[in-house]
Amino acid sequence: MATDTSRFDPKFTQHVIDTIGPKTDDRSRFVMSALIRHLHDFAREVELTTDEWMTGVRFMNAVGQISDSKRNEGQRISDVLGLESLVDEIAHKLVSDEQIDPTSSTILGPFWSPDAPFRDLGGSIIVNAHKGQVALMHGKVIDLKTGKGIPGAVVDIWQASANGKYDFQDPENQEPNNLRGKFRCNQNGEYYFYCLKPTAYSLPTDGPAGVLLDLLDRHPMRPAHIHLMVTHDDYKPLVNQIFPSDDPYLETDTVFAVKDDLVVEFKPKSGDPKATLDLEYNIILAPRGYEGASGPKL
Amino acid sequence: MATDTSRFDPKFTQHVIDTIGPKTDDRSRFVMSALIRHLHDFAREVELTTDEWMTGVRFMNAVGQISDSKRNEGQRISDVLGLESLVDEIAHKLVSDEQIDPTSSTILGPFWSPDAPFRDLGGSIIVNAHKGQVALMHGKVIDLKTGKGIPGAVVDIWQASANGKYDFQDPENQEPNNLRGKFRCNQNGEYYFYCLKPTAYSLPTDGPAGVLLDLLDRHPMRPAHIHLMVTHDDYKPLVNQIFPSDDPYLETDTVFAVKDDLVVEFKPKSGDPKATLDLEYNIILAPRGYEGASGPKL
């Protein structure tokens, strides 16, 4: 990366940063100064042309123009560039001083809904007809320090249907909250419910994310996954996704969300008229205030 | 900037870059790899939080949502961060091996129109009523190598009215192409026409640019200026802005477009019933293919 930047005004970037006024708080000053520095370093390093810059401006405008309350293209672009996954890594760098890690987090994605209903343990999140395979998903939510179950922990689940679409995206076939639900763990910290073995799907490619993936000569596929958000007042919340081990896109997830310990195995199940597959998945939560080995910054 | 990034996965960014496929052309690969690297380095350096990232995503969506055919908020954000000015510097780093520089360029800004009409030399770009001071602007368009005038060079001019608004933004008071016009130089390379002494104005602050300026505790003012785009088939085109020397915002232009040699002096004019001010402004263009001292990259 032998970039001789001396041919450009060496004072310009600092001048822009120095215009930040005295009322800006320290964190905003720090973050925005770094953003300006990296943005300028990028432009100088590649000697960004006027046409390339204008392409970027048009791209940025197009991202917002296609976004609405049900489509967050800004988040999707961020995901395609690996940024949400990196921010997740930064946020959840929690190394246990007991050599036991909590369950890995990964990105939220744009399809979580605050409106998912509570359902009874043993119930099903499958409301509408589908062409998928039904699984009984079950497990225990466990305290990282004690190893015991966490009664009352809430497991919030959402997934796309077998056609690769979430309820938001598929109003003709799915009513709101199809394949969404919250489950409150029993006194042992256990949960169990019926869901679908998930299906791989493509990001929507009719907008700027499609343009970007095309420019990068990348496929738009996400490996099949089930989203989880696991919460309890006394514990740090966990957001993650779990991926069937037989998915062909595990290595090349277009949003870089796969981690080794998030890959799970669906097993054949017999004797249950409601399901042909079984998935056991246990979740380890860190108590609030738990700091691990690296101290308070975490 | 002692940022220890070793606590984060050292392979992640390269992994994201390595997903770029074989069909991506070399320049796109180079630019996008650098963009991803700087974006990730920024996030790691400031340890970007999930909330900060999501604020950025919402900001990006809002930029497009407020943009339309007459409002380019993406360009405005880019300008507030100094990027358009930097891209302009990169594009026009032309150092003459004859120790004579062509006229400085600066940013185009979002208000240029492809529809400005040709007007006769000696005509006026002022169509509608205004509260400004009228000036006769005149000068010569000159060849950098020969020092001679360039017959037929086109001077395309646009400026805001005395209320700080361009025709686009002010349909109640201004008809389309008020304060816009193209003039073709005479056989000596001379041009002359009537315009307003320009007025300082605020960027629109009702959108994301206002949010950003507020976060940075910066004022939204642009120093008064007249935009120029000067073209001729045989010369490199010039886009710039000129600024009256008595403007209070020269040092703190919110889009960083002021350069020393773009500051001009309006002088009192007598004996012309049409104007009270006189502005002489000569423009030096470099011939196409002219490479200056630093060779073909320029």
Side-chain angles (χ1 to χ4, degrees):
Chain A
M1 213 55 54
T3 306
D4 176 13
T5 60
S6 64
R7 55 204 294 264
F8 304 116
D9 178 358
K11 294 180 183 167
F12 179 68
T13 298
Q14 194 57 47
H15 169 62
V16 174
I17 290 171
D18 287 345
T19 63
I20 300 175
K23 291 181 194 150
T24 297
D25 66 88
D26 288 349
R27 175 66 183 168
S28 298
R29 183 185 308 275
F30 178 64
V31 171
M32 293 305 298
S33 297
L35 181 69
I36 290 166
R37 192 162 26 74
H38 280 288
L39 184 68
H40 289 199
D41 284 350
F42 158 70
R44 279 186 289 253
E45 182 178 316
V46 305
E47 300 197 358
L48 195 68
T49 70
T50 306
D51 285 350
E52 288 165 348
W53 162 74
M54 188 46 88
T55 300
V57 165
R58 286 200 203 99
F59 186 87
M60 187 167 176
N61 287 334
V63 165
Q65 280 157 350
I66 208 169
S67 295
D68 58 28
S69 63
K70 294 188 174 173
R71 179 165 183 164
N72 188 335
E73 196 78 0
Q75 182 169 1
R76 188 163 286 129
I77 294 302
S78 174
D79 292 359
V80 165
L81 296 176
L83 185 60
E84 183 173 4
S85 185
L86 178 58
V87 166
D88 170 71
E89 184 198 358
I90 293 168
H92 295 276
K93 195 86 194 168
L94 199 158
V95 181
S96 167
D97 50 7
E98 298 174 35
Q99 304 303 314
I100 304 165
D101 288 347
T103 298
S104 286
S105 57
T106 193
I107 70 174
L108 178 65
F111 294 113
W112 178 75
S113 166
D115 301 325
F118 272 99
R119 303 184 192 275
D120 292 336
L121 285 177
S124 176
I125 62 172
I126 308 166
V127 178
N128 296 109
H130 62 87
K131 293 185 175 164
Q133 288 177 280
V134 178
L136 178 68
M137 178 170 166
H138 58 97
K140 198 167 180 176
V141 180
I142 298 164
D143 181 307
L144 170 64
K145 296 207 74 157
T146 67
K148 292 182 181 168
I150 305 174
V154 173
V155 179
D156 183 355
I157 293 282
W158 64 107
Q159 66 175 171
S161 191
N163 64 2
K165 292 185 176 172
Y166 291 85
D167 56 353
F168 292 168
Q169 302 172 294
D170 192 26
E172 289 136 47
N173 300 306
Q174 300 182 55
E175 59 195 86
N177 296 318
N178 183 43
L179 300 169
R180 298 179 186 276
K182 291 185 221 171
F183 298 89
R184 200 178 295 278
C185 290
N186 66 18
Q187 62 193 8
N188 300 320
E190 296 160 340
Y191 73 88
Y192 46 104
F193 61 86
Y194 293 96
C195 62
L196 295 181
K197 185 184 180 198
T199 305
Y201 62 79
S202 170
L203 296 189
T205 56
D206 59 336
V211 173
L212 179 60
L213 287 166
D214 206 45
L215 176 70
L216 299 177
D217 187 25
R218 281 171 44 182
H219 72 69
M221 297 302 291
R222 295 229 53 215
H225 58 278
I226 298 173
H227 289 273
L228 293 93
M229 180 187 288
V230 187
T231 53
H232 185 288
D233 282 351
D234 300 337
Y235 294 83
K236 298 187 183 183
L238 171 71
V239 172
N240 75 8
Q241 302 173 30
I242 51 177
F243 304 89
S245 57
D246 59 354
D247 191 279
Y249 299 107
L250 292 178
E251 302 296 325
T252 61
D253 178 7
T254 193
V255 303
F256 309 100
V258 179
K259 298 177 184 177
D260 287 348
D261 70 331
L262 300 177
V263 176
V264 297
E265 204 151 343
F266 285 80
K267 293 179 178 161
K269 181 176 180 65
S270 57
D272 183 341
K274 294 187 189 162
T276 58
L277 295 170
D278 181 273
L279 174 63
E280 179 175 5
Y281 185 60
N282 299 316
I283 299 150
I284 301 172
L285 294 188
R288 271 189 203 278
Y290 183 80
E291 288 176 356
S294 335
K297 269 205 102 170
L298 302 173
Chain B
M1 215 53 54
T3 305
D4 176 12
T5 59
S6 64
R7 53 204 296 263
F8 304 115
D9 177 358
K11 294 180 182 168
F12 179 69
T13 297
Q14 195 56 48
H15 170 62
V16 174
I17 290 171
D18 288 345
T19 62
I20 299 175
K23 290 180 195 152
T24 297
D25 66 89
D26 288 348
R27 174 68 184 168
S28 298
R29 182 184 309 275
F30 177 64
V31 171
M32 293 305 299
S33 297
L35 181 69
I36 291 166
R37 190 162 28 73
H38 280 289
L39 183 69
H40 289 199
D41 284 349
F42 158 69
R44 280 185 289 253
E45 182 178 316
V46 304
E47 300 197 358
L48 195 69
T49 70
T50 306
D51 285 349
E52 288 165 348
W53 162 73
M54 188 47 88
T55 299
V57 164
R58 285 201 204 98
F59 185 86
M60 188 167 174
N61 286 335
V63 165
Q65 280 158 349
I66 208 169
S67 294
D68 58 28
S69 64
K70 293 188 174 172
R71 180 167 181 162
N72 188 336
E73 196 78 0
Q75 181 169 359
R76 189 163 286 128
I77 294 301
S78 174
D79 291 358
V80 166
L81 296 176
L83 185 61
E84 184 173 4
S85 185
L86 179 58
V87 166
D88 170 71
E89 185 198 358
I90 293 168
H92 295 277
K93 195 85 193 169
L94 199 157
V95 181
S96 166
D97 50 6
E98 298 174 36
Q99 305 300 315
I100 304 166
D101 288 348
T103 298
S104 287
S105 57
T106 192
I107 71 174
L108 178 65
F111 294 113
W112 178 75
S113 165
D115 301 325
F118 272 98
R119 303 187 192 273
D120 291 335
L121 284 177
S124 176
I125 62 171
I126 309 166
V127 179
N128 297 112
H130 62 86
K131 294 185 176 164
Q133 289 176 277
V134 178
L136 178 68
M137 177 168 166
H138 58 98
K140 198 166 180 178
V141 181
I142 299 164
D143 181 307
L144 170 63
K145 295 206 72 157
T146 67
K148 293 184 181 167
I150 306 174
V154 174
V155 179
D156 184 355
I157 293 282
W158 64 108
Q159 69 176 167
S161 191
N163 65 0
K165 293 185 176 172
Y166 291 85
D167 56 352
F168 292 168
Q169 301 172 297
D170 191 26
E172 289 137 47
N173 301 306
Q174 299 181 54
E175 59 196 84
N177 297 318
N178 184 41
L179 299 170
R180 298 180 187 276
K182 290 186 225 172
F183 297 89
R184 198 179 297 277
C185 291
N186 66 18
Q187 60 193 10
N188 300 319
E190 295 159 341
Y191 72 88
Y192 47 103
F193 60 86
Y194 293 95
C195 62
L196 295 180
K197 185 183 181 198
T199 304
Y201 63 80
S202 169
L203 296 189
T205 56
D206 60 337
V211 172
L212 179 60
L213 287 166
D214 206 46
L215 176 71
L216 298 178
D217 187 25
R218 280 172 45 183
H219 72 70
M221 298 302 292
R222 293 229 53 214
H225 58 278
I226 297 173
H227 290 273
L228 294 94
M229 180 187 286
V230 186
T231 53
H232 184 288
D233 283 352
D234 300 337
Y235 294 83
K236 298 187 182 185
L238 171 72
V239 173
N240 76 8
Q241 302 173 29
I242 51 176
F243 305 89
S245 57
D246 59 354
D247 191 278
Y249 300 107
L250 292 177
E251 301 297 322
T252 61
D253 178 9
T254 194
V255 304
F256 309 100
V258 180
K259 298 178 185 176
D260 287 347
D261 69 332
L262 299 177
V263 176
V264 296
E265 204 151 343
F266 284 80
K267 294 181 176 158
K269 182 176 178 66
S270 58
D272 184 341
K274 295 185 188 162
T276 59
L277 295 170
D278 180 272
L279 173 64
E280 181 175 6
Y281 185 60
N282 298 317
I283 299 150
I284 302 172
L285 295 188
R288 273 190 202 279
Y290 183 79
E291 288 175 354
S294 338
K297 270 204 103 170
L298 303 173

